[in-house]
Amino acid sequence: MADLSRPPGPKIIAVANQKGGVGKTTTAINLAAALVELEKTVLVVDLDPQGNASTGLGIDPSERDMTTYELLVDDAPLDDVIQETEIAGLHIVPATVDLSSADIELISNEKRSFLLHDALRQTAMDRYGFDYILIDCPPSLSLLTVNAMVSAHSVLIPLQSEFFALEGLSQLMLTIREVRQTANPDLRIEGVILTMFDRRNNLSQQVEQDARANLGDLVFDTIIPRNVRVSEAPSYAMPVLSYDPNSQGAVAYRALAREVMQKNGKLAA
Ligand SMILES: Nc1ncnc2c1ncn2[C@@H]1O[C@H](COP(=O)(O)OP(=O)(O)O)[C@@H](O)[C@H]1O
Ligand SMILES: [Mg+2]
């Protein structure tokens, strides 16, 4: 039974796709920044040992003493691992390469698939009052990604507008189904977001048609265009919404944030 003495917790969304370079991290960072612009408070959990979300949100490697690794493997309290970013209302649990050994270290832990689930449900979470938690997954269907799916309410899938984009999707859907059948029956698909879309490229158009034909309403109306400002922003350690607020990429991520909020009934249509 739900514990009515606790406020309703944050909506937890895993940003996942086992393919690398499809726009997971870019989407996690910029959707987070766009939700914050809409006056939501957001926590990004960097679940990728590459730590790109941490870098992209301005957390220097020297400031990553307490990370997702400590949260999962050492049962660290939330207060020790959650950091503020330069953007008010946007927090992060950073990651380092340490996280790459977590899979192996946790292999004999009976609760290995539930570690992130339990970590994000520490009572200390209530005090932060986050509206959303976005989990930036690694490019694999490993134990880390399973932890994200077990802890999340939904999965948001970036799909690069490129040949073979849909091919890996069946494997991802299978993993989602397995998680539903075992640990998290209520896991939903938040939606599929087409990324790095090039309007002048027939292939991009084809991928969009295929995606909408096969996945229907799961595909967000919003499409993220390929935009050089988006790819430049991480080297300035900021979301594109701060780096170039009027760029096409920033405008698109704001539209995505509004769509996500509409789907979650937090914004009138
Ligand atoms: N809309 C976009 N326009 C231009 N470059 C992009 C866009 N989205 C992502 N990129 C770039 O593509 C690369 C891969 O994106 P990333 O978000 O890191 O993917 P993933 O996290 O899935 O591995 C990065 O260099 C990123 O800056
Ligand atoms: Mg990434």
Side-chain angles (χ1 to χ4, degrees), residues 59-148:
I59 309 298
D60 193 79
S62 66
E63 298 163 27
R64 295 181 210 167
D65 288 340
M66 295 296 279
T67 66
T68 324
Y69 176 89
E70 281 74 24
L71 185 67
L72 296 180
V73 179
D74 297 339
D75 221 356
L78 285 171
D79 289 343
D80 290 356
V81 296
I82 293 179
Q83 291 193 29
E84 292 180 359
T85 68
E86 293 283 310
I87 299 166
L90 181 48
H91 293 66
I92 185 166
V93 183
T96 65
V97 71
D98 286 352
L99 193 57
S100 57
S101 61
D103 274 44
I104 294 171
E105 287 177 46
L106 293 170
I107 209 149
S108 59
N109 185 324
E110 271 178 17
K111 290 175 70 184
R112 62 185 172 277
S113 302
F114 291 87
L115 296 171
L116 186 61
H117 174 281
D118 294 352
L120 295 180
R121 284 159 180 85
Q122 295 177 27
T123 45
M125 185 59 90
D126 296 353
R127 270 188 290 109
Y128 289 92
F130 293 121
D131 296 300
Y132 289 91
I133 298 179
L134 302 181
I135 306 170
D136 185 28
C137 291
S140 66
L141 294 171
S142 62
L143 180 61
L144 289 172
T145 298
V146 169
N147 260 276

Side-chain angles (χ1 to χ4, degrees), residues 19-27 48 52 136-137 139 195-196 224-228 230-232 234 253:
K19 272 186 84 173
V22 299
K24 287 182 292 297
T25 301
T26 304
T27 297
D48 185 346
N52 293 339
D136 185 28
C137 291
T195 63
M196 295 181 240
I224 309 298
R226 184 176 282 286
N227 175 214
V228 66
V230 172
S231 54
E232 287 168 0
Y253 275 110

Side-chain angles (χ1 to χ4, degrees), residues 177-205:
R177 200 191 307 161
E178 276 169 22
V179 170
R180 271 190 194 135
Q181 285 167 352
T182 52
N184 187 3
D186 297 329
L187 182 64
R188 289 182 47 251
I189 294 175
E190 189 67 35
V192 173
I193 178 71
L194 290 162
T195 63
M196 295 181 240
F197 190 86
D198 183 353
R199 242 181 314 127
R200 294 157 305 177
N201 186 334
N202 286 336
L203 200 53
S204 276
Q205 314 259 11

